[in-house]
């Protein structure tokens, strides 16, 4: 788990390099150092991670994942009502914890046949965690800083699953290389956090944030196809996907 989660976080380094080449985004020396840190950290992890631990866990563990997702849903709804700057950070952390639960649930799946998935509580945890985490992350990006939200997600989705993998799932390093593995893990994650602004293409972040805040005030509870009337944010992009019209309540032409 600790190796895989660090690899997931390292995608920001790839995004940063591609952005510097294709869309001419200028990277500071600190960001180039972070790219090198991600590469070095992932390299240390790859050379020191041991064999995957036993993935078999009991039904209680899998049911606990579902309970955790339900708890995160409640926390996320509460976080959405906070004022900035706490709102974006809280939503990002909630989404990150949800993605962490998703990765743990995927790890403990017993199989991938339709019958096995239908019988496995972990499969339902994967689906629920994916939906909840996506919506809270989208909510955080809608009206908050991309950098803050992405950094919170990276931290929350990497560190807790790595610890759980070691404690409950038998993950381990190669003999005598535990210090190298954990060093590589924290270097990779810390460097990914430094590249958090590449979590989303956002050339006009300030304008988008102001527009989102105005839309949220004018339309406090819109819902995709009227099904999510309880959701405390503006979800006009979901309505667009579903082909439904969203009335302009801001008075803008």
């Amino acid at each position: 788990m600790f190796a895989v989660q660090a690899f997931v976080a390292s995608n920001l380094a790839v995004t940063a390099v591609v952005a510097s080449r294709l869309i001419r985004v200028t990277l500071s020396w600190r960001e180039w150092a972070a790219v090198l840190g991600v590469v070095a950290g992932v390299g240390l992890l790859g050379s020191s991670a041991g064999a995957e631990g036993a993935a078999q866990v009991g039904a209680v563990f899998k049911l606990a994942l579902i309970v955790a997702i339900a708890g995160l849903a409640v926390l996320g709804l509460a976080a959405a009502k906070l004022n900035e700057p706490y709102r974006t950070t809280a939503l990002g952390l909630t989404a990150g914890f949800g993605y962490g639960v998703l990765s743990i649930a995927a790890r403990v799946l017993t199989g991938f046949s339709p019958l096995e998935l239908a019988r496995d509580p972990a499969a339902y945890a994967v689906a629920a965690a994916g939906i909840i985490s996506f919506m809270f992350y989208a909510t955080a990006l809608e009206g908050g800083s991309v950098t803050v939200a992405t950094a919170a997600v990276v931290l929350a989705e990497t560190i807790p699953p790595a610890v759980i993998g070691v404690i409950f799932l038998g993950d381990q390093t190669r003999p005598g290389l535990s210090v190298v593995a954990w060093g590589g893990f924290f270097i990779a994650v810390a460097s990914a956090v430094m590249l958090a602004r590449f979590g989303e293409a956002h050339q006009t972040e300030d304008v988008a944030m102001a527009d989102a805040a105005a839309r949220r005030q004018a339309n406090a509870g819109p819902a995709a196809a009227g099904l999510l009337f309880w959701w405390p944010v503006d979800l006009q992009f979901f309505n667009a996907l579903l082909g439904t019209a969203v009335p302009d309540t801001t008075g803008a032409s």
Side-chain angles (χ1 to χ4, degrees), residues 219-238:
N219 193 7
L227 297 178
L228 297 176
F229 61 90
W230 47 268
W231 195 255
V233 294
D234 186 2
L235 295 178
Q236 294 189 19
F237 59 95
F238 285 107

Side-chain angles (χ1 to χ4, degrees), residues 149-169:
T150 305
V153 169
V154 168
L155 287 173
E157 76 172 337
T158 52
I159 296 177
V163 174
I164 289 174
V166 172
I167 296 175
F168 294 102
L169 302 179

Side-chain angles (χ1 to χ4, degrees), residues 15 49 58 68 90 102 106 175 189 236:
T15 305
L102 187 155
V189 172
Q236 294 189 19

